[in-house]
Amino acid sequence: MANMTRPRPFDGFKIAITDPTYFVGRTNLVETLHRSPFEVHILLGGNRLGKTSTLRAIEWTLLDPESSVQSRAFPVYVNLHKVQPKDSDSLRYILISSLRESIVKWQRAPWEGIRKTYLRFLSEIVDADANFGFLKLKISNPERARQLDQHQFEDELKRAISDVEEHGFDGICFLLDEAEFMVRSAWGNDACSYFRALKDSDAGIEPFLGLLFSGYRGVKEYQQSVGSPLYNIASVMWLNSLNESEVKELIAIRTDQEEMTLAKSEVDFIWRTAGGHPHFTQQTLNLLLDCQKSKMPVSHQVLTFQLLQKYDHEFS
């Protein structure tokens, strides 16, 4: 009876997955970023296809000290739509403050294996008055100018690179989620040109800095229409749907967690209906599991109609 009332994590799997236990697929993509973290990458993917979950998976993979890669990058996840920088100087301040905050959080997380340590890392709270280099974050003071010019940013970045090297990392990789916010801003071209200059001409930063931008239509159209110098050196990757074996793995994880089983016909129905789209797969699975818990048999035709009614607006 407890399983019937236990809330599903990640708001019923409607928001990004941050627990390695529940993350399925994307192996080749994550390994590619793991092997080359100090390059410029652009991750493109459609609506609700799991871009944020993938960035989080890249984050915990890069943090893992037991990985076998030759070069380790310290990852810094930043959701640009959430923090909404006002200009390039504001963006530079956000990147450095996020970097310093992540370093403090990682230092506070005792090693207990990557899953426990990463979840502890995510839950750490850094005091508003924490000192990060020459920055003193005063979150409660809205009048404080939160900007860094190019010289200040580069000095702080070099200092941070030295700091992470002392903790077994070889440099820093910024994971910039929802990059549409940047490319649609008036200062977007300036920011992209500045990042390209860092990767082109600063020997003290270029080999130790990686950039990963994620987005969809806005980022793709920006690349095509502007031909940004940054994009000219970037590796563009597309996030695809899960394959059939990955969908079956996802179903096995979910049914094991909820202590339930699904017939082969129901597993096949999920694959046919959702086509490997991770969000739609999760929601189709939720509906089937709920029907089984309620002991109310429902035809696949009715389930399909219910799914279309509930989720059509998310994909239209």
Side-chain angles (χ1 to χ4, degrees), residues 18 20 30 33-34 37 55-69 71-77 99 102-107 109 111 113-122 164 167-169 171-173 175:
T18 55
V30 172
L33 271 298
H34 198 195
L55 260 63
R56 288 301 194 180
I58 292 166
E59 182 179 40
W60 73 61
T61 301
L62 291 174
L63 285 171
D64 189 354
E66 296 180 350
S67 64
S68 58
V69 293
S71 298
R72 289 182 66 210
F74 184 81
V76 184
Y77 173 84
L99 166 58
S102 294
I103 291 173
V104 172
K105 289 167 62 177
W106 185 247
Q107 289 173 336
W111 179 248
I114 188 56
R115 178 177 181 266
K116 287 185 178 180
T117 304
Y118 180 69
L119 293 177
R120 171 74 179 270
F121 165 78
L122 291 180
V164 299
H167 293 86
F169 296 92
I172 293 161
C173 182
L175 311 176

Side-chain angles (χ1 to χ4, degrees), residues 129-149:
D129 292 335
N131 283 292
F132 300 155
F134 76 86
L135 293 172
K136 188 176 178 69
L137 298 185
K138 282 284 191 180
I139 306 303
S140 60
N141 180 6
E143 300 302 321
R144 178 178 174 80
R146 301 185 183 188
Q147 296 186 320
L148 289 179
D149 62 26

